[in-house]
Amino acid sequence: MNLLNMFRPKRKRPKICLVFCGGTIGMVRDKKTKALKPAKSIKEVLSIAPEIHRFADIDYAFIGNIDSTNVQTHHWATIARTIQERYHRYTGFVVTHGTDTLAYTASALSLALQNLNKPIVLTGSQMPPDDLASDARNNLINAFRVATMDIAEVVICFGDSILKGIRAQKWSEFELNAFHSPLFPKLGKIGADIELTPYVERSTEGVSLPLDCKPDFERGVVEIRLFASLNPEMIKVLLDSGLCKGLIFQSYGAGNIPTKENSLIPLVTYAIKKKNIPVLISTQCTGGKVRVGVYDTGYQAFKVGAIPTLDMSLEGASVKLSWCLAQTKNIDIIREMMNTNYVGEINLEKKAG
Ligand code: ASP
């Protein structure tokens, strides 16, 4: 035994909590049927990358082992509360989650857990762990590495990228770099090493603000993508149902909606003035932002009170509306909140309208 090592103080390894939610990364292939099914335990999932134990002490929190298609707003709240309860005990958190709705959950956690002073890293995989050349092992190891770094926000670590959670979107069901954030620079790049960019939020030393947890989300936000045959009468039925609490139109281009035949303007007015339902205008252009008043077809919608999502991702805007609605039903306050930058979800430098 090396005597020097005996007396060298043991370096404390970072404590990371794995919050397990399911998805492909939590699946194994049945030997007989070859079908994918949930792994029996988190330990079985972690067994694909035993090296992680070399650099981190790991604890687990089990949320569920579900396809993220089935994630509901109450799951977001449960994940947020789970992290809140354990916040002071860990250096960072890794959340494993299905990729399909991972960007929504990342947006939800970003808003639910504010004043973060440590990393919350979401990851998943395109292929189940025991597939040949699966991305599960790399993504899991990298997420744990990122969770030990000086980061103070919710990020997605996937493939070769570290992205701002509330700005990210799943863009491919095939590529191993399944996520992008077209309107916000990458927070980091994973190659031979992990390099963070200047865009990442770093922790504050000394006194930091206490964690601010607002984990509730209102159900009943409806996203509607515009297309030529859309009949406003159909949407009116929805508004009158009492189930719709907020409406998002994925509009054309810079924020344009029909104003002539089958005009949506009376409907937007009805929703806001008569039903107290906030209406957001986002865009169908991935990588595009809503720019108020570029065209008259956009200007008219904002004149009657629609709220532009500016450069927020659709996922981010939708979750934010749901988060605002859980706090207030007052449309003026919601407009104010939608136009407030809480966690870097919106760039208000050239705020329009
Ligand atoms: N449908 C799966 C899920 O989102 C896909 C995945 O995990 O990649 O849970």
Side-chain angles (χ1 to χ4, degrees):
M1 178 183 289
N2 182 337
L3 281 178
L4 272 178
N5 276 348
M6 254 177 77
F7 296 111
R8 200 170 277 155
K10 273 206 174 142
R11 245 195 30 221
K12 264 180 93 183
R13 292 184 311 168
K15 283 192 79 176
I16 308 292
C17 182
L18 171 62
V19 182
F20 187 82
C21 304
T24 301
I25 197 166
M27 296 196 177
V28 289
R29 209 171 278 286
D30 188 280
K31 293 214 171 60
K32 271 196 204 137
T33 66
K34 303 281 180 260
L36 286 175
K37 59 175 194 189
K40 280 196 208 81
S41 67
I42 303 179
K43 284 201 174 134
E44 193 178 349
V45 176
L46 269 177
S47 69
I48 61 170
E51 302 89 329
I52 294 171
H53 294 282
R54 273 196 236 139
F55 65 88
D57 280 340
I58 305 168
D59 283 340
Y60 321 98
F62 184 80
I63 305 291
N65 197 352
I66 55 172
D67 189 307
S68 75
T69 311
N70 288 316
V71 165
Q72 303 285 309
T73 51
H74 67 81
H75 289 108
W76 300 339
T78 305
I79 302 169
R81 285 204 189 91
T82 302
I83 293 173
Q84 181 202 21
E85 283 157 14
R86 294 162 175 75
Y87 186 71
H88 295 291
R89 308 213 300 263
Y90 296 96
T91 314
F93 293 83
V94 170
V95 180
T96 51
H97 192 287
T99 58
D100 288 346
T101 66
L102 190 142
Y104 282 91
T105 300
S107 299
L109 294 181
S110 304
L111 290 165
L113 298 165
Q114 293 187 31
N115 301 338
L116 279 178
N117 210 23
K118 47 186 76 174
I120 297 184
V121 186
L122 286 93
T123 196
S125 70
Q126 292 283 62
M127 288 175 277
D130 61 358
D131 267 18
L132 189 66
S134 170
D135 54 337
R137 184 181 136 83
N138 273 354
N139 285 351
L140 194 65
I141 293 175
N142 287 332
F144 272 92
R145 292 166 78 199
V146 171
T148 65
M149 297 177 93
D150 176 17
I151 293 175
E153 60 177 315
V154 175
V155 304
I156 293 178
C157 172
F158 208 98
D160 68 7
S161 304
I162 304 165
L163 303 170
K164 195 172 192 71
I166 199 160
R167 293 296 196 116
Q169 299 179 306
K170 179 174 177 179
W171 76 276
S172 172
E173 85 323 322
F174 175 80
E175 300 283 336
L176 299 187
N177 286 315
F179 291 84
H180 68 175
S181 60
L183 293 177
F184 200 88
K186 284 186 182 181
L187 304 185
K189 192 110 181 73
I190 301 168
D193 204 350
I194 297 181
E195 282 174 6
L196 298 180
T197 68
Y199 298 97
V200 71
E201 294 293 334
R202 302 291 196 157
S203 60
T204 44
E205 281 186 17
V207 190
S208 58
L209 291 170
L211 180 70
D212 182 10
C213 181
K214 289 198 185 77
D216 298 319
F217 296 88
E218 172 70 62
R219 287 177 53 80
V221 168
V222 181
E223 296 173 14
I224 296 179
R225 186 180 167 96
L226 301 189
F227 52 103
S229 79
L230 190 69
N231 181 347
E233 284 303 315
M234 293 191 293
I235 306 169
K236 185 160 179 300
V237 173
L238 185 72
L239 298 182
D240 288 335
S241 71
L243 296 172
C244 174
K245 301 293 184 320
L247 191 58
I248 304 182
F249 282 123
Q250 263 186 284
S251 73
Y252 303 119
N256 308 317
I257 67 171
T259 53
K260 296 236 181 291
E261 206 175 330
N262 281 318
S263 170
L264 288 176
I265 300 300
L267 187 94
V268 173
T269 314
Y270 179 72
I272 297 168
K273 302 267 154 48
K274 291 272 180 316
K275 306 300 286 188
N276 196 43
I277 294 173
V279 180
L280 266 52
I281 305 285
S282 77
T283 173
Q284 297 179 10
C285 299
T286 315
K289 16 186 145 171
V290 175
R291 291 181 289 130
V292 178
V294 176
Y295 293 91
D296 185 57
T297 44
Y299 175 73
Q300 288 196 39
F302 301 114
K303 215 172 85 181
V304 296
I307 304 166
T309 60
L310 304 180
D311 67 338
M312 280 185 270
S313 65
L314 176 65
E315 293 85 341
S318 167
V319 169
K320 187 173 177 182
L321 179 58
S322 168
W323 181 75
C324 292
L325 281 163
Q327 295 171 56
T328 179
K329 297 287 185 286
N330 180 313
I331 292 194
D332 290 331
I333 300 176
I334 288 174
R335 180 188 314 284
E336 198 55 45
M337 291 174 83
M338 290 305 299
N339 276 318
T340 299
N341 178 26
Y342 291 93
V343 287
E345 75 276 16
I346 189 169
N347 179 2
L348 295 168
E349 259 159 43
K350 282 190 220 125
K351 183 176 153 187

